[in-house]
Structures are given as structure tokens and as C-alpha cells.
Amino acid sequence: MSRYVLPDLPYDYGALEPHLSGKIMQLHHDKHHRTYVDTANQCIDKLIEIRRKRDFETIAALEHKLAFNVSGHVLHSLFWQNLAPQAGGEPEGELARAIVRDFGSFESFKQQLVHTASTIMGSGWAALVWDPVIQRLGTTQIHDHQSEVTQGSFPLMVLDAWEHAYYLQYQTEKNRYFEAIWNLWNWNDVAQRFSAAQAVDVRLERAADQPAAAPPSVH
Ligand code: MN
């Protein structure tokens, strides 16, 4: 049966120092991320069980729990790959041009993403997303791991703004963490995600040559 799987970090725990401590990375990956994966798998087991029994009393709570934990797994998996040792700087090529087109400048994009992160109430993420409907980049807050998400948009680059992401190192100075992370962005990874997202068509309108429904089959 299919299972959610905790991916290995693509670098050593201490590889992002001094910007992110090895202790944070170890706890964040091995404890927090692992818990989301394990809990998501437990939710799947319970959903299979209630379907088997046709006992749907708890389905709404289970689906909410599944959404929280799967989204936590997805966002952390993206976050680890979005970061790299000896990275940062500014993107190049098509991603760089799209950022200037949609935010005015790289500096304006950076300010917008940091502001998005620093104004989260409670736990959440800031993300650079691709909106396939109007073919534009944008930023968004994600409350917890899953709320306030625009359907159809794709996360390209995510910034964990939960306290567990920075508190051991930065304590109450979260803006120092939001600044330090710009030494770690892996723009090659973000650019590859951007390229893949642009190929997606969410098909909000029916193509002119496509029938409304398949014609009934004749026996
Ligand atoms: Mn986290």
C-alpha cells in the first residue's frame, strides 16, 4: 500500500550553519517532519478502516487531520530542497525575469515575502506561488500548513515561519531568521519548480472542441 515517506535531508544537519543551526535542522527534520509523515499514514489507515465499516462519523475530523499532516509533509519536503549550503544571492534566467515582471524588482519581491512571513498570526508559512489561472507569480500566507491556500496555485518556494523553525537559535528575533534565510535559497531548485508549474493547465474553461459529456453508449 502507498505510504508517505520521510525524505532524507539533501545535506548534513550542520551544512546550513551559521544561518540555521544543525540542532534546529536535526530536530526539525527528524522530529517535526517525521511526526507529520507518521500521523498522515495513521490517518490513511483510519480512513480505510471507517470506509470498511461504513462508519463515517469521524470522517470530517480525520480529513482535517490528514490535510494538516500531509501539507506539513509536503511543505517541509519542499523547504529542505529550496535551501542549500553556499547558496542565496539572486536567481537568474526566466525566474529572475518573471520576478521582475510580477514584483517590480528582486528587492521588492524579497520585502514582500519577508513581510508576508513576519505578519503571520500564530503558526504558518510564507510562500512564493505560481497562479496558473492568470499566469503570475505571487506570495501567500499559509496558516498552519494548509489554510488560506488558493486552489490551483503551486508553491515554488516556502519559508517556515513556525517557532520551531528558528526559536532555538534566534529566540524572539524572528526577523533575523527571515533575513538569514536569504543566504540559503537554492534558486536552481526554485527555477526548476517554476518551469514545471508553468506547464500545468488547470482547465477552468471547457475547450471548444470538447463535448460536455461523453455520449451514452449504445448497446
Ligand atoms: Mn517546520
Side-chain angles (χ1 to χ4, degrees):
M1 195 189 321
S2 298
R3 279 287 178 266
Y4 299 104
V5 176
L6 179 70
D8 290 334
L9 274 185
Y11 34 73
D12 293 337
Y13 296 127
L16 305 184
E17 291 185 352
H19 311 295
L20 267 183
S21 78
K23 189 67 184 169
I24 285 180
M25 292 303 293
Q26 185 177 11
L27 290 170
H28 203 171
H29 175 269
D30 293 4
K31 302 293 181 186
H32 293 284
H33 189 171
R34 184 185 302 280
T35 299
Y36 299 132
V37 171
D38 290 347
T39 309
N41 285 323
Q42 289 161 16
C43 289
I44 293 291
D45 289 340
K46 285 178 186 163
L47 282 164
I48 291 168
E49 179 72 8
I50 68 170
R51 274 201 300 272
R52 193 179 60 75
K53 293 180 177 170
R54 301 190 182 284
D55 174 16
F56 293 110
E57 193 68 29
T58 57
I59 196 164
L62 265 176
E63 287 174 346
H64 177 77
K65 194 172 177 181
L66 182 71
F68 175 86
N69 285 284
V70 173
S71 300
H73 167 46
V74 169
L75 288 171
H76 284 93
S77 301
L78 296 181
F79 188 46
W80 309 140
Q81 295 179 70
N82 282 162
L83 304 178
Q86 284 97 45
E90 296 189 16
E92 296 173 348
E94 195 181 359
L95 175 62
R97 287 190 291 277
I99 285 173
V100 171
R101 181 193 68 204
D102 295 339
F103 295 98
S105 67
F106 178 78
E107 188 55 34
S108 173
F109 157 63
K110 178 180 172 182
Q111 283 181 15
Q112 184 169 326
L113 192 71
V114 168
H115 198 77
T116 298
S118 63
T119 53
I120 288 166
M121 290 183 275
S123 296
W125 298 71
L128 169 68
V129 298
W130 172 248
D131 176 349
V133 180
I134 57 168
Q135 303 271 299
R136 276 181 70 88
L137 295 169
T139 57
T140 190
Q141 285 189 348
I142 302 166
H143 185 231
D144 291 335
H145 300 308
Q146 81 285 18
S147 301
E148 301 167 40
V149 172
T150 300
Q151 305 298 335
S153 71
F154 286 85
L156 307 177
M157 174 180 162
V158 296
L159 173 50
D160 193 337
W162 284 54
E163 281 188 354
H164 69 219
Y166 63 85
Y167 204 81
L168 273 180
Q169 186 174 1
Y170 293 98
Q171 283 88 50
T172 57
E173 299 179 288
K174 68 179 176 184
N175 283 328
R176 285 183 53 228
Y177 159 66
F178 293 145
E179 188 59 40
I181 203 87
W182 292 83
N183 296 297
L184 299 172
W185 291 123
N186 180 354
W187 294 116
N188 289 335
D189 179 70
V190 180
Q192 285 170 19
R193 295 179 191 286
F194 179 46
S195 182
Q198 283 175 287
V200 173
D201 178 359
V202 289
R203 300 177 68 96
L204 298 191
E205 295 175 31
R206 183 179 299 138
D209 59 351
Q210 183 190 8
S217 55
V218 179
H219 295 285

mmCIF file of all heavy atoms in Angstrom, residues 24 163 166-177:
data_model
loop_
_atom_site.group_PDB
_atom_site.id
_atom_site.type_symbol
_atom_site.label_atom_id
_atom_site.label_comp_id
_atom_site.label_asym_id
_atom_site.label_seq_id
_atom_site.Cartn_x
_atom_site.Cartn_y
_atom_site.Cartn_z
ATOM 1 N N ILE A 24 18.790 22.748 15.148
ATOM 2 C CA ILE A 24 17.444 23.043 14.629
ATOM 3 C C ILE A 24 17.119 22.104 13.481
ATOM 4 O O ILE A 24 16.038 21.503 13.444
ATOM 5 C CB ILE A 24 17.340 24.512 14.147
ATOM 6 C CG1 ILE A 24 17.266 25.468 15.339
ATOM 7 C CG2 ILE A 24 16.109 24.693 13.244
ATOM 8 C CD1 ILE A 24 17.150 26.931 14.954
ATOM 9 N N GLU A 163 7.502 28.731 15.042
ATOM 10 C CA GLU A 163 8.570 28.979 16.023
ATOM 11 C C GLU A 163 9.613 27.863 16.029
ATOM 12 O O GLU A 163 10.800 28.121 16.251
ATOM 13 C CB GLU A 163 7.983 29.151 17.430
ATOM 14 C CG GLU A 163 7.402 30.538 17.648
ATOM 15 C CD GLU A 163 7.000 30.784 19.094
ATOM 16 O OE1 GLU A 163 7.064 29.844 19.918
ATOM 17 O OE2 GLU A 163 6.616 31.917 19.390
ATOM 18 N N TYR A 166 13.021 28.354 14.114
ATOM 19 C CA TYR A 166 14.085 29.328 14.418
ATOM 20 C C TYR A 166 14.353 29.562 15.892
ATOM 21 O O TYR A 166 15.379 30.121 16.267
ATOM 22 C CB TYR A 166 13.743 30.691 13.770
ATOM 23 C CG TYR A 166 12.468 31.323 14.303
ATOM 24 C CD1 TYR A 166 12.480 32.091 15.453
ATOM 25 C CD2 TYR A 166 11.255 31.125 13.651
ATOM 26 C CE1 TYR A 166 11.309 32.646 15.957
ATOM 27 C CE2 TYR A 166 10.083 31.677 14.146
ATOM 28 C CZ TYR A 166 10.111 32.439 15.287
ATOM 29 O OH TYR A 166 8.965 32.978 15.777
ATOM 30 N N TYR A 167 13.447 29.129 16.786
ATOM 31 C CA TYR A 167 13.483 29.642 18.154
ATOM 32 C C TYR A 167 14.752 29.271 18.929
ATOM 33 O O TYR A 167 15.272 30.080 19.695
ATOM 34 C CB TYR A 167 12.235 29.202 18.928
ATOM 35 C CG TYR A 167 11.930 30.125 20.071
ATOM 36 C CD1 TYR A 167 11.253 31.317 19.841
ATOM 37 C CD2 TYR A 167 12.351 29.844 21.366
ATOM 38 C CE1 TYR A 167 10.991 32.206 20.868
ATOM 39 C CE2 TYR A 167 12.093 30.720 22.406
ATOM 40 C CZ TYR A 167 11.411 31.903 22.148
ATOM 41 O OH TYR A 167 11.166 32.788 23.173
ATOM 42 N N LEU A 168 15.273 28.063 18.713
ATOM 43 C CA LEU A 168 16.487 27.635 19.428
ATOM 44 C C LEU A 168 17.667 28.554 19.153
ATOM 45 O O LEU A 168 18.557 28.723 19.981
ATOM 46 C CB LEU A 168 16.882 26.211 19.003
ATOM 47 C CG LEU A 168 16.253 25.044 19.739
ATOM 48 C CD1 LEU A 168 16.775 23.738 19.163
ATOM 49 C CD2 LEU A 168 16.555 25.120 21.233
ATOM 50 N N GLN A 169 17.684 29.138 17.959
ATOM 51 C CA GLN A 169 18.820 29.974 17.547
ATOM 52 C C GLN A 169 18.527 31.466 17.648
ATOM 53 O O GLN A 169 19.387 32.244 18.053
ATOM 54 C CB GLN A 169 19.202 29.616 16.104
ATOM 55 C CG GLN A 169 20.453 30.314 15.594
ATOM 56 C CD GLN A 169 20.850 29.791 14.227
ATOM 57 O OE1 GLN A 169 20.183 28.922 13.658
ATOM 58 N NE2 GLN A 169 21.937 30.317 13.693
ATOM 59 N N TYR A 170 17.336 31.860 17.273
ATOM 60 C CA TYR A 170 17.040 33.298 17.156
ATOM 61 C C TYR A 170 16.099 33.819 18.250
ATOM 62 O O TYR A 170 15.856 35.019 18.327
ATOM 63 C CB TYR A 170 16.433 33.599 15.780
ATOM 64 C CG TYR A 170 17.424 33.393 14.645
ATOM 65 C CD1 TYR A 170 17.432 32.217 13.901
ATOM 66 C CD2 TYR A 170 18.370 34.365 14.334
ATOM 67 C CE1 TYR A 170 18.340 32.020 12.868
ATOM 68 C CE2 TYR A 170 19.287 34.180 13.311
ATOM 69 C CZ TYR A 170 19.268 33.009 12.581
ATOM 70 O OH TYR A 170 20.174 32.829 11.564
ATOM 71 N N GLN A 171 15.561 32.907 19.073
ATOM 72 C CA GLN A 171 14.591 33.259 20.127
ATOM 73 C C GLN A 171 13.513 34.208 19.572
ATOM 74 O O GLN A 171 12.875 33.879 18.598
ATOM 75 C CB GLN A 171 15.309 33.843 21.347
ATOM 76 C CG GLN A 171 15.994 32.775 22.200
ATOM 77 C CD GLN A 171 17.390 32.473 21.734
ATOM 78 O OE1 GLN A 171 18.182 33.396 21.543
ATOM 79 N NE2 GLN A 171 17.703 31.205 21.542
ATOM 80 N N THR A 172 13.374 35.394 20.184
ATOM 81 C CA THR A 172 12.278 36.277 19.787
ATOM 82 C C THR A 172 12.609 37.132 18.558
ATOM 83 O O THR A 172 11.759 37.872 18.076
ATOM 84 C CB THR A 172 11.909 37.230 20.944
ATOM 85 O OG1 THR A 172 13.080 37.963 21.314
ATOM 86 C CG2 THR A 172 11.407 36.459 22.144
ATOM 87 N N GLU A 173 13.861 37.009 18.061
ATOM 88 C CA GLU A 173 14.253 37.866 16.929
ATOM 89 C C GLU A 173 13.998 37.159 15.602
ATOM 90 O O GLU A 173 14.938 36.856 14.852
ATOM 91 C CB GLU A 173 15.719 38.256 17.063
ATOM 92 C CG GLU A 173 15.999 39.045 18.333
ATOM 93 C CD GLU A 173 17.472 39.397 18.461
ATOM 94 O OE1 GLU A 173 18.284 38.494 18.725
ATOM 95 O OE2 GLU A 173 17.789 40.584 18.267
ATOM 96 N N LYS A 174 12.735 36.904 15.308
ATOM 97 C CA LYS A 174 12.430 36.115 14.109
ATOM 98 C C LYS A 174 12.800 36.857 12.833
ATOM 99 O O LYS A 174 13.074 36.220 11.821
ATOM 100 C CB LYS A 174 10.973 35.666 14.093
ATOM 101 C CG LYS A 174 9.938 36.760 13.928
ATOM 102 C CD LYS A 174 8.540 36.148 13.904
ATOM 103 C CE LYS A 174 7.487 37.231 13.831
ATOM 104 N NZ LYS A 174 6.118 36.675 13.899
ATOM 105 N N ASN A 175 12.850 38.189 12.865
ATOM 106 C CA ASN A 175 13.227 38.905 11.640
ATOM 107 C C ASN A 175 14.689 38.668 11.261
ATOM 108 O O ASN A 175 15.044 38.755 10.088
ATOM 109 C CB ASN A 175 12.933 40.402 11.779
ATOM 110 C CG ASN A 175 11.442 40.669 11.606
ATOM 111 O OD1 ASN A 175 10.760 39.957 10.861
ATOM 112 N ND2 ASN A 175 10.924 41.653 12.311
ATOM 113 N N ARG A 176 15.538 38.332 12.262
ATOM 114 C CA ARG A 176 16.926 37.956 11.933
ATOM 115 C C ARG A 176 16.948 36.631 11.179
ATOM 116 O O ARG A 176 17.752 36.436 10.266
ATOM 117 C CB ARG A 176 17.778 37.865 13.207
ATOM 118 C CG ARG A 176 18.151 39.236 13.783
ATOM 119 C CD ARG A 176 19.067 39.098 15.003
ATOM 120 N NE ARG A 176 20.232 38.269 14.712
ATOM 121 C CZ ARG A 176 20.670 37.270 15.483
ATOM 122 N NH1 ARG A 176 20.044 36.980 16.612
ATOM 123 N NH2 ARG A 176 21.732 36.579 15.153
ATOM 124 N N TYR A 177 16.063 35.711 11.562
ATOM 125 C CA TYR A 177 15.928 34.443 10.838
ATOM 126 C C TYR A 177 15.406 34.693 9.421
ATOM 127 O O TYR A 177 15.936 34.155 8.438
ATOM 128 C CB TYR A 177 15.000 33.513 11.619
ATOM 129 C CG TYR A 177 14.364 32.392 10.832
ATOM 130 C CD1 TYR A 177 15.135 31.348 10.296
ATOM 131 C CD2 TYR A 177 12.982 32.341 10.648
ATOM 132 C CE1 TYR A 177 14.547 30.311 9.592
ATOM 133 C CE2 TYR A 177 12.381 31.309 9.950
ATOM 134 C CZ TYR A 177 13.163 30.296 9.413
ATOM 135 O OH TYR A 177 12.570 29.275 8.716
#
